[in-house]
């Protein structure tokens, strides 16, 4: 009879293969590692997965990931509560936070409008956003969606919904990376940056 | 600008060949199926990174081989640059410029420009608008690499909008959502309209002049851009105005677009107009007129590359000389040889040679032929 891994091992490898960026070989390596490493680490990982799945949910206000009902950012009274930044993914919030420049609130859409993938406004957290804006505290919404075709369409759609409420809608600029050399910017980015030039 | 030599290793039916090219004229002779066009394909590949025969990289591997390699030495005045590309069975491609690996194709494009003229191009005038759009796009990509992004984004937005139209047939239309896509699409479209119109406006007088020289007649050739707006308007209007006009046009087509699930206005429906003496060559031109117009258009491309870059591109004529009468053949050579490095394939090794070098291709071997 040909040898196979024990069924539970096969199962683990199968499960790992479903993860993004993991192929059969890596899955096998990870499975062996989990088996040979000390028990505390292995169960720690299993526990961490179980906890994150149980605890983390979307914030009732901004839809960002949190393990509380309302996330710390939304509760933070030191922030500018009139300014709202709309992003596609939770990781974009982290990027904006790293700037240390932006001190307003956030709203996470969890995607962008893409008819080809069957994603429209109803699949995103657009309803929640519009409800939030109706309360009237926010005076400016900044669109920080990706600078691709879908991100652009999402920004345009949201702008058309928000502007009639009398709220200012802005979009981040496209341009060349700061601190780098011009020669490292690609032609398209440079062309965009040129189109959006500012007077000195 | 001229290519000094080309080295082919395991490319199509060539095992290992190094060909020293003449700076003015190179005539590649040989019977059918010996590898004449493969040679042209190799020249084209090293210039623009893809096969003009729309072959996949895999198909260009020599029979039973697991990699191919091309290397060329390009001279631009006193500047010498070595360009090479290797493709392996692991589907990895490596471009090098002067020995340095290059990650982006845009670094390679333009090191050695070429303009290729193949028998299919003779059909350019007669065939459908899709072919002429392809001609226009390909030409613009060589000269303006950033056009690639505009075109790519436009096509992406177009697919998304078409999908939305199709979905709305079944589930009803979300007008606000469609308007967002209209807004997006028209911004990208306005950019393409403007860029195309500018290129055509520059190409037109060049093509006209060459056409007169080839035909030695007073026939006029002029190029135009056919779109939902008259060409003069595209030229005169700003991008914002064109965008507004296209939005209005989409509004009038809304019902039909919804019914068909297709976007009916935009650069993807436009055409390059080719007129002889003011009449559309596609409908009213004779076969001969259509061919000559196509030839003039291609030679105009050569002139445009010179105007834009300051260097003459290589001219690759694959199997077209035999399609032209002797008078036209002579005209082409007189117009191009001396300023443009020209490569011509021909089945007849007896063809007369005024200057340059003649090569005989026999089952994947190339040897220079002596005398004229």
């Amino acid at each position: 009879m040909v040898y196979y891994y024990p069924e539970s091992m096969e199962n683990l490898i199968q499960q790992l293969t479903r993860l993004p960026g993991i192929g059969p070989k890596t899955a096998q390596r990870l499975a062996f590692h989990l088996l040979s490493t000390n028990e505390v680490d292995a169960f720690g990982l299993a526990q961490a997965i179980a906890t994150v799945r149980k605890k983390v949910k979307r914030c009732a206000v901004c839809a960002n990931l949190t393990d509380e009902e309302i996330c710390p950012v939304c509760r933070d009274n030191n922030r500018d509560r009139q300014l709202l930044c709309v992003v596609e993914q939770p990781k974009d919030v982290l990027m904006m936070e790293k700037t240390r420049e932006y001190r307003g609130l956030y709203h996470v859409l969890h995607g962008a409008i893409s008819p080809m993938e069957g994603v429209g406004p109803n699949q995103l957290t657009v309803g929640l956003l519009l409800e939030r804006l109706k309360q009237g505290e926010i005076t400016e919404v900044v669109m920080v969606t990706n600078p691709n075709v879908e991100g652009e369409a999402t920004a345009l759609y949201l702008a058309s919904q928000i502007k009639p409420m009398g709220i200012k809608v802005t979009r981040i600029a496209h341009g060349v990376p700061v601190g780098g050399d011009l020669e490292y910017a690609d032609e398209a980015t440079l062309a965009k940056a040129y189109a959006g030039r500012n007077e000195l | 600008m001229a290519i000094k030599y080309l080295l082919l290793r395991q490319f199509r039916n060539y095992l290992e060949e190094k060909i020293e090219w003449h700076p003015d004229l190179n005539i590649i002779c040989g019977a059918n199926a010996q590898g004449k066009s493969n040679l042209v394909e190799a020249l084209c590949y090293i210039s623009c990174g893809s096969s003009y025969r729309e072959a996949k990289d895999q198909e260009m591997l020599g029979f039973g081989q697991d990699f191919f390699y091309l290397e060329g030495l390009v001279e631009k005045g006193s500047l010498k640059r070595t360009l090479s590309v290797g493709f392996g069975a692991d589907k990895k491609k490596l471009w090098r410029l002067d020995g340095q690996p290059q990650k982006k194709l845009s670094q390679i494009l333009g090191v050695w420009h070429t303009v290729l003229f193949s028998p299919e191009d003779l059909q350019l005038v007669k065939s459908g608008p899709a072919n002429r759009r392809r001609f226009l796009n390909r030409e613009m990509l060589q000269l303006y690499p950033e056009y690639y992004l505009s075109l790519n984004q436009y096509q992406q937005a177009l697919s998304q909008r078409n999908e939305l139209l199709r979905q709305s047939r079944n589930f009803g239309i979300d007008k606000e959502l469609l308007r967002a896509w209209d807004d997006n699409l028209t911004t990208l479209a306005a950019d393409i309209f403007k860029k195309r119109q500018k290129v055509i406006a520059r190409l037109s007088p060049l093509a006209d002049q060459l056409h007169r020289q080839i035909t030695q007649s007073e026939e006029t050739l002029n190029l135009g851009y056919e779109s939902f707006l008259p060409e003069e308007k595209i030229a005169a209007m700003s991008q914002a105005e064109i965008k507004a006009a296209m939005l209005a046009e989409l509004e009038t087509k809304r019902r039909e677009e919804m019914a068909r699930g297709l976007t009916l206005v935009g650069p993807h429906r436009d055409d390059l107009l080719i007129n002889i003496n003011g009449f559309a060559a596609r409908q009213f031109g004779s076969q001969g007129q259509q061919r000559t117009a196509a030839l003039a258009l291609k030679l105009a491309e050569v002139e445009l590359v010179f105007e834009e870059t300051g260097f003459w591109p290589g001219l690759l004529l694959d199997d077209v000389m035999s399609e032209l009468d002797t008078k036209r053949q002579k005209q082409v050579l007189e117009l191009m040889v001396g300023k443009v490095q020209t490569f011509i394939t021909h089945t007849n090794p007896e063809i007369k040679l005024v200057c340059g070098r003649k090569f005989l291709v026999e089952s994947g071997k190339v040897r220079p032929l002596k005398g004229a």
Side-chain angles (χ1 to χ4, degrees):
Chain A
M1 204 183 101
V2 188
Y3 171 77
Y4 286 110
Y5 293 129
E7 210 181 295
S8 56
M9 187 74 176
E10 276 291 341
N11 183 32
L12 178 59
I13 294 173
Q14 288 277 316
Q15 298 283 349
L16 288 169
T17 316
R18 292 188 194 169
L19 299 177
I22 307 281
K25 286 216 175 86
T26 313
Q28 196 170 301
R29 220 176 76 221
L30 290 174
F32 272 108
H33 175 79
L34 290 171
L35 210 55
S36 60
T37 188
N38 68 57
E39 232 168 84
V40 180
D41 284 356
F43 281 114
L45 177 62
Q47 195 61 52
I49 295 172
T51 313
V52 85
R53 289 300 306 212
K54 260 189 233 141
K55 277 199 152 173
V56 173
K57 54 193 169 211
R58 290 181 184 183
C59 167
V61 180
C62 71
N64 195 5
L65 300 180
T66 171
D67 43 16
E68 291 156 282
E69 189 54 32
I70 291 172
C71 75
V73 175
C74 291
R75 281 186 283 132
D76 186 351
N77 281 323
N78 289 325
R79 285 178 178 263
D80 182 349
R81 304 191 71 86
Q82 298 189 319
L83 194 55
L84 184 75
C85 170
V86 175
V87 297
E88 288 181 23
Q89 301 294 347
K91 62 178 176 9
D92 302 332
V93 173
L94 286 186
M95 290 309 291
M96 281 304 284
E97 282 295 284
K98 275 191 197 163
T99 64
R100 305 261 171 226
E101 189 69 26
Y102 181 76
R103 295 302 292 165
L105 301 171
Y106 293 95
H107 192 90
V108 182
L109 293 171
H110 291 280
I113 292 172
S114 171
M116 288 198 290
E117 287 162 86
V119 179
N122 294 337
Q123 280 69 44
L124 306 172
T125 60
V126 173
L128 187 66
L129 172 64
L130 297 178
E131 279 307 312
R132 189 177 175 188
L133 294 175
K134 273 185 200 149
Q135 290 162 14
E137 205 180 354
I138 287 154
T139 56
E140 180 181 345
V141 178
V142 194
M143 294 293 164
V144 191
T145 51
N146 285 328
N148 55 27
V149 168
E150 289 76 19
E152 209 64 47
T154 309
L156 289 168
Y157 172 74
L158 289 176
S160 76
Q161 301 292 298
I162 298 169
K163 272 190 191 158
M165 304 163 98
I167 298 171
K168 185 174 164 193
V169 183
T170 52
R171 176 100 172 98
I172 46 163
H174 309 284
V176 291
V178 176
D181 249 27
L182 268 191
E183 60 175 321
Y184 293 116
D186 62 295
E187 297 89 351
T189 308
L190 206 51
K192 272 261 183 188
Y194 169 74
R197 64 193 181 276
N198 294 325
E199 199 179 321
L200 290 174
Chain B
M1 193 155 47
I3 187 164
K4 198 94 173 107
Y5 72 79
L6 179 72
L7 172 76
L8 302 93
R9 198 168 283 156
Q10 304 178 6
F11 183 89
R12 295 258 188 201
N13 67 335
Y14 293 92
L15 199 56
E16 167 112 19
E17 284 292 310
K18 188 176 176 183
I19 303 139
E20 306 275 345
W21 301 107
H22 191 275
D24 293 325
L25 178 63
N26 296 279
I27 297 183
I28 303 159
C29 316
N32 287 325
Q34 301 301 311
K36 296 191 300 291
S37 293
N38 292 349
L39 206 51
V40 174
E41 187 177 37
L43 285 166
C44 181
Y45 194 93
I46 204 156
S47 159
C48 60
S50 62
S51 158
Y52 71 96
R53 294 195 273 196
E54 306 198 352
K56 296 200 177 81
D57 292 331
Q58 200 75 27
E59 296 165 34
M60 284 176 273
L61 289 174
F63 187 73
Q65 306 290 1
D66 54 3
F67 76 91
F68 72 70
Y69 177 80
L70 298 172
E71 182 185 298
L73 179 68
V74 179
E75 281 186 336
K76 274 182 168 176
S78 61
L79 200 69
K80 286 190 171 77
R81 313 208 78 179
T82 313
L83 190 60
S84 75
V85 57
F87 173 79
D90 52 0
K91 300 200 171 163
K92 276 193 185 135
K93 196 157 30 171
L94 181 64
W95 285 94
R96 282 177 190 272
L97 185 57
D98 299 325
Q100 297 297 318
Q102 302 290 328
K103 284 213 184 80
K104 278 196 196 158
L105 189 63
S106 59
Q107 315 273 228
I108 301 302
L109 293 175
V111 172
W112 183 49
H113 276 292
T114 53
V115 172
L116 176 108
F117 194 36
S118 71
E120 290 85 76
D121 291 317
L122 282 170
Q123 310 296 318
L124 192 68
V125 180
K126 200 163 56 170
S127 61
N131 275 331
R132 283 184 293 277
R133 282 195 298 271
R134 201 172 306 134
F135 162 79
L136 202 56
N137 287 341
R138 209 169 47 190
E139 182 160 334
M140 290 176 64
L141 285 176
Q142 256 217 62
L143 283 174
Y144 315 104
E146 86 283 355
Y147 179 67
Y148 175 77
L149 194 91
S150 312
L151 200 62
N152 237 8
Q153 286 194 328
Y154 177 77
Q155 260 146 11
Q156 175 75 8
L158 184 65
S159 308
Q160 291 279 23
R161 188 176 185 271
N162 284 344
E163 183 58 38
L164 185 66
L165 287 168
R166 270 193 292 276
Q167 284 170 8
S168 63
R169 278 193 296 194
N170 300 329
F171 309 112
I173 188 78
D174 180 340
K175 275 199 183 126
E176 311 260 299
L177 187 56
L178 186 61
R179 218 160 271 147
W181 280 105
D182 289 357
D183 200 351
N184 200 354
L185 188 82
T186 49
T187 306
L188 297 165
D191 182 41
I192 295 176
F193 285 135
K194 267 300 214 200
K195 284 184 170 144
R196 280 187 178 172
Q197 187 275 327
K198 273 186 203 157
V199 164
I200 292 171
R202 294 187 56 182
L203 211 51
S204 185
L206 294 172
D208 180 40
Q209 195 194 350
L210 285 159
H211 187 256
R212 279 170 209 257
Q213 285 169 313
I214 299 168
T215 56
Q216 295 181 314
S217 76
E218 288 306 302
E219 274 185 356
T220 61
L221 178 71
N222 103 313
L223 306 177
Y225 188 48
E226 185 178 63
S227 185
F228 79 99
L229 276 176
E231 198 190 337
E232 312 82 65
K233 283 203 171 167
I234 294 180
M237 286 158 87
S238 71
Q239 283 200 21
E241 289 168 328
I242 295 172
K243 177 187 159 89
M246 183 171 163
L247 278 173
E249 184 72 11
L250 284 172
E251 201 67 53
T252 67
K253 294 266 165 71
R254 186 124 305 171
R255 196 179 286 261
E256 198 189 343
E257 285 196 330
M258 303 255 299
R260 291 174 59 183
L262 275 177
T263 300
L264 298 172
V265 189
H268 64 293
R269 318 239 339 153
D270 294 350
D271 198 355
L272 169 67
L273 291 176
I274 301 162
N275 298 320
I276 297 173
N277 286 336
F279 292 101
R282 186 183 175 201
Q283 284 138 351
F284 305 107
S286 72
Q287 293 256 7
Q289 279 177 320
Q290 289 178 343
R291 278 160 182 242
T292 315
L295 185 64
L297 209 56
K298 274 286 168 180
L299 298 185
E301 195 182 333
V302 171
E303 302 277 342
L304 187 62
V305 172
F306 177 73
E307 279 190 5
E308 280 289 291
T309 66
F311 291 100
W312 291 105
L315 177 63
L316 310 172
L317 299 169
D318 186 23
D319 251 344
V320 281
M321 284 315 246
S322 48
E323 304 267 342
L324 301 172
D325 58 39
T326 41
K327 200 179 109 198
R328 297 263 196 289
Q329 287 184 19
K330 225 179 111 213
Q331 286 297 332
V332 172
L333 291 181
E334 276 174 14
L335 281 170
M336 292 294 142
V337 175
K339 59 180 185 187
V340 178
Q341 191 185 23
T342 309
F343 303 83
I344 296 171
T345 63
H346 210 284
T347 44
N348 181 9
E350 303 300 315
I351 183 175
K352 265 201 253 149
L353 191 63
V354 250
C355 64
R357 210 165 286 161
K358 203 152 66 168
F359 299 90
L360 184 68
V361 179
E362 264 174 327
S363 49
K365 290 271 165 216
V366 184
R367 79 188 149 87
L369 283 178
K370 286 268 151 59

